[in-house]
Amino acid sequence: MIVVTRLNGSRFAVNPDLIERVQENPDTTLVMVGGATYVVQESLTQVIDLVANYRALILATARGLPATEGQHLSLVPRPDGEPEPSSATPLRPGQR
């Protein structure tokens, strides 16, 4: 969740995965997937930074979790550039 501020100063948290778009004209408006709209004090750039930081936190947290059994998937390269160690056999196209 990201925390944003209404024009009256009250703060609330919103799920960034449900934001369809962010508009700035001149007030910043979050348009949600379900059609709800929220006018917030934060600028368009600030909202984008909040979402990016939230997603970075999710990935960093996931990297710190212990390995589990089963197929290991990784979409983010390791910082050292080395491939992730994997004991799983890669799937061929069309194989489940």
Side-chain angles (χ1 to χ4, degrees):
M1 302 288 272
I2 61 169
V3 177
V4 290
T5 312
R6 289 184 172 95
L7 296 182
N8 68 6
S10 65
R11 298 181 66 181
F12 69 103
V14 64
N15 182 344
D17 295 328
L18 298 179
I19 298 174
E20 181 178 315
R21 67 181 180 275
V22 181
Q23 306 176 166
E24 192 174 59
N25 188 21
D27 293 327
T28 306
T29 304
L30 308 180
V31 180
M32 309 304 287
V33 171
T37 60
Y38 302 104
V39 180
V40 298
Q41 290 182 6
E42 289 79 11
S43 70
L44 177 91
T45 302
Q46 289 171 319
V47 171
I48 291 169
D49 287 344
L50 287 170
V51 172
N53 290 336
Y54 167 78
R55 295 214 168 113
L57 175 63
I58 297 298
L59 291 173
T61 301
R63 279 209 166 273
L65 295 175
T68 59
E69 291 187 31
Q71 181 74 28
H72 175 74
L73 301 176
S74 179
L75 298 176
V76 180
R78 292 172 47 143
D80 58 9
E82 293 294 318
E84 290 283 341
S86 175
S87 60
T89 304
L91 297 177
R92 292 186 304 271
Q95 183 183 12
R96 289 187 175 179

